[in-house]
Amino acid sequence: MIKSADVVVIGGGVVGCSTAYNLAKLGAGKVVVLEKNYLASGSTGRCGAGMRMQWGTETNCLLSRESVKMLSHLPELLNVDVDIEFTQNGYLMPAYSEKMAEQFKQNLVLQNSLAIPAKWVTPEESLEIVPFLNTKGMLGATYCAEDGHCNPFKVTEAYAQAAKKLQVEIYTNTQVLGIVTENGKIVSVRTNQGDIQTDTVVNAAGGYAKEVGRMVGVELPIFPERHEILVTEPVEPTMGPMVMSFYHNLYCQQSPHGSFIMGIGHPNEPEGYDINSSWQFLRDMVERVVEILPPLAGLNIVRQWAGLYDMCPDRTPILGNSPQLQRFYTAAGFSGHGFMISPITGQLMAEMIVGKPTAFPIQMFDAGRFERGELFVEPSVV
Amino acid sequence: MEQNDITICRCEDITLGEIREQIALGKHTIEEIKRACRAGMGPCQGRTCAPLIANEIAKATGKPISEIPLAKFRPSTLPIKMASLLGGEKHD
């Protein structure tokens, strides 16, 4: 194993790989990625794989808009031969109460001002988009035709391959045991395969970001929360967009492979590292999804699984340096939408770390914002 | 028939050639291969292909097959129709 590096990235998910690639591209020197299992083995590989630009805060709109732009030609951008299964079949987000419709319309003004082509559609128009949608109780929906889907394993692989071409070293099956600091500076990272001397660490550990923070005495407000998903047998393409209902707290999309992928958020899910599947989820999921998409009742469920959201109190990630320790950067707390904003996140993190002006201002997303009380509350999260 | 054209995962139509390609790319566990090419993600959940893939990994890496870990088994055990999960408790 390598003995020293200019930057050590902890976490071989999509954010870690994207950040490592961008660091190498910007000339950050020797970059190393450390992954406990294999690439995309954590939150990245367990996500719902949707990509949407319909958000309620300007930041999330911008981050996702730029990421979709990059994903639309990622293999060319990275010069790798990986099919990332990018499709743009849209997101349909129904509203069921006046309050919800009001919020959505408010979000639309913001989205449209940022050149995101989302629009309000009536229940009748929704039926043209998803013909078997149950519109009972629906006041309308927002729809963005350019939202879509991408394969998280393949996007991670694309970034990893591109990073390796730029001499980034990626160590899988390598667990970080600790980070050594002296006089307020990082000295080395201890792993089960040996030590790496470095003065710069990027914490891209997803659900485990808090633990990595604690290795250097930084208490991050990020906490892990289990979210469950299931997938059905593949069938002919019948549903274009992701249907995402905040009222039912669910999302459901037909993947390019033909299977339907769906998940729900559980309001009483405790904080923790449990990623076991539950039968309760199976029951709740089926009951709710069949209510709005009735023909799905005829499909066979093939598999269910769970993963960790790395939750932040305001549902917006922490991107940046920590006030307590020099050159300890965090890119985590994505609250369930890290995959879709990973391309731009990697770029911004790298720009910040090498000291270049960032493409968007992101200084305000540092971990210190919670102490300052400057939160960015995202209203639109399942 | 070329050996590489032999179907290994019948649910997802993955051939021996595709499995060998993934192993050559450095993916030396069933979990990694599954995520890279969908082998084992179909309705049978790898019951047929997992041992065959393990065998290929063992051959390529020179490890005994007993040291190749199986992929995680996930529920449900068999494919289950959504409709059959609906409404039961009301009749209990």
Side-chain angles (χ1 to χ4, degrees):
Chain A
M1 188 189 225
I2 197 166
K3 294 283 174 239
S4 73
D6 293 290
V7 187
V8 172
V9 178
I10 300 176
V14 70
V15 171
C17 290
S18 165
T19 303
Y21 160 76
N22 279 286
L23 279 166
K25 197 176 114 188
L26 292 181
K30 193 71 203 168
V31 180
V32 170
V33 177
L34 303 176
E35 165 55 47
K36 186 168 56 173
N37 295 314
Y38 49 88
L39 296 182
S41 58
S43 303
T44 299
R46 296 166 189 277
C47 78
M51 300 168 340
R52 67 168 154 134
M53 296 183 276
Q54 300 182 68
W55 293 98
T57 61
E58 183 174 346
T59 321
N60 279 331
C61 285
L62 284 173
L63 293 174
S64 59
R65 187 191 73 190
E66 291 311 301
S67 294
V68 167
K69 264 189 215 164
M70 291 158 88
L71 286 166
S72 69
H73 59 286
L74 195 71
E76 293 81 9
L77 205 68
L78 303 179
N79 192 24
V80 292
D81 183 22
V82 179
D83 177 8
I84 60 165
E85 295 170 23
F86 176 81
T87 52
Q88 284 178 296
N89 290 327
Y91 258 58
L92 184 76
M93 297 164 61
Y96 291 89
S97 67
E98 288 296 342
K99 194 179 162 217
M100 202 180 259
E102 192 61 35
Q103 172 76 53
F104 280 14
K105 286 177 178 170
Q106 213 176 308
N107 291 356
L108 278 177
V109 174
L110 171 73
Q111 290 156 13
N112 294 160
S113 75
L114 300 168
I116 294 169
K119 60 179 182 181
W120 180 258
V121 290
T122 63
E124 293 72 36
E125 288 166 331
S126 301
L127 283 174
E128 287 168 25
I129 301 165
V130 181
F132 50 87
L133 183 74
N134 176 9
T135 55
K136 192 182 160 201
M138 242 178 85
L139 300 177
T142 63
Y143 176 64
C144 176
E146 291 182 18
D147 289 346
H149 175 100
C150 231
N151 183 324
F153 302 116
K154 302 288 182 159
V155 174
T156 309
E157 177 70 24
Y159 274 111
Q161 280 190 20
K164 282 180 192 164
K165 279 190 191 175
L166 298 175
Q167 271 67 55
V168 171
E169 305 251 2
I170 298 179
Y171 294 100
T172 53
N173 297 309
T174 303
Q175 191 175 0
V176 172
L177 304 173
I179 300 169
V180 182
T181 58
E182 272 169 27
N183 306 323
K185 283 181 183 164
I186 295 169
V187 180
S188 67
V189 176
R190 284 177 43 233
T191 83
N192 60 350
Q193 311 283 338
D195 293 0
I196 303 174
Q197 290 186 347
T198 188
D199 66 352
T200 308
V201 165
V202 182
N203 174 8
Y208 295 85
K210 181 183 263 183
E211 286 192 5
V212 172
R214 282 177 178 167
M215 287 177 182
V216 291
V218 170
E219 192 67 22
L220 297 164
I222 297 168
F223 59 96
E225 186 181 282
R226 178 179 70 161
H227 280 247
E228 298 192 68
I229 300 192
L230 67 79
V231 66
T232 71
E233 61 192 330
V235 287
E236 290 294 309
T238 44
M239 188 169 88
M242 173 81 93
V243 174
M244 181 170 232
S245 166
F246 295 122
Y247 177 79
H248 298 88
N249 212 357
L250 71 78
Y251 59 86
C252 175
Q253 183 175 47
Q254 188 174 21
S255 73
H257 168 258
S259 50
F260 282 78
I261 296 178
M262 61 195 80
I264 46 176
H266 199 283
N268 299 322
E269 186 67 41
E271 175 180 337
Y273 296 103
D274 172 23
I275 50 166
N276 285 314
S277 297
S278 71
W279 62 265
Q280 289 91 340
F281 158 74
L282 210 57
R283 283 295 315 272
D284 288 354
M285 181 78 245
V286 170
E287 203 154 89
R288 285 192 232 177
V289 81
V290 165
E291 190 186 329
I292 58 171
L293 300 163
L296 264 50
L299 287 181
N300 276 308
I301 298 162
V302 170
R303 185 169 56 253
Q304 67 176 114
W305 69 92
L308 298 177
Y309 273 21
D310 42 332
M311 298 298 292
C312 227
D314 58 358
R315 310 294 185 257
T316 299
I318 294 174
L319 304 173
N321 213 342
S322 57
Q324 302 94 324
L325 181 68
Q326 290 176 43
R327 302 198 71 75
F328 179 76
Y329 296 89
T330 298
F334 293 97
S335 311
H337 51 276
F339 168 58
M340 61 181 98
I341 61 169
S342 57
I344 191 72
T345 299
Q347 184 191 320
L348 293 168
M349 289 304 296
E351 287 167 346
M352 183 196 304
I353 292 165
V354 302
K356 288 197 172 162
T358 50
F360 297 107
I362 56 164
Q363 287 73 6
M364 62 284 197
F365 299 126
D366 69 336
R369 75 171 184 268
F370 298 93
E371 279 163 30
R372 300 194 301 269
E374 294 166 2
L375 306 186
F376 299 86
V377 180
E378 172 56 62
S380 307
V381 184
V382 166
Chain B
M1 188 164 133
E2 280 281 321
Q3 212 190 10
N4 275 348
D5 294 337
I6 296 170
T7 301
I8 293 292
C9 171
R10 294 187 293 193
C11 301
E12 296 288 343
D13 275 342
I14 308 296
T15 62
L16 181 56
E18 285 169 277
I19 300 292
R20 287 180 172 166
E21 224 171 83
Q22 294 303 332
I23 295 172
L25 284 170
K27 303 199 187 306
H28 292 171
T29 59
I30 298 175
E31 294 279 12
E32 286 170 283
I33 291 171
K34 171 180 167 181
R35 283 158 177 80
C37 70
R38 305 196 55 87
M41 279 194 180
C44 96
Q45 298 253 44
R47 278 181 187 77
T48 315
C49 65
L52 301 172
I53 296 170
N55 197 30
E56 279 305 307
I57 298 169
K59 269 199 282 183
T61 57
K63 280 188 191 166
I65 197 153
S66 57
E67 282 180 22
I68 312 295
L70 286 171
K72 183 172 168 66
F73 290 99
R74 297 187 187 284
S76 52
T77 311
L78 289 170
I80 181 168
K81 211 165 264 308
M82 283 207 192
S84 61
L85 287 163
L86 287 169
E89 87 278 19
K90 287 172 191 134
H91 305 291
D92 280 348

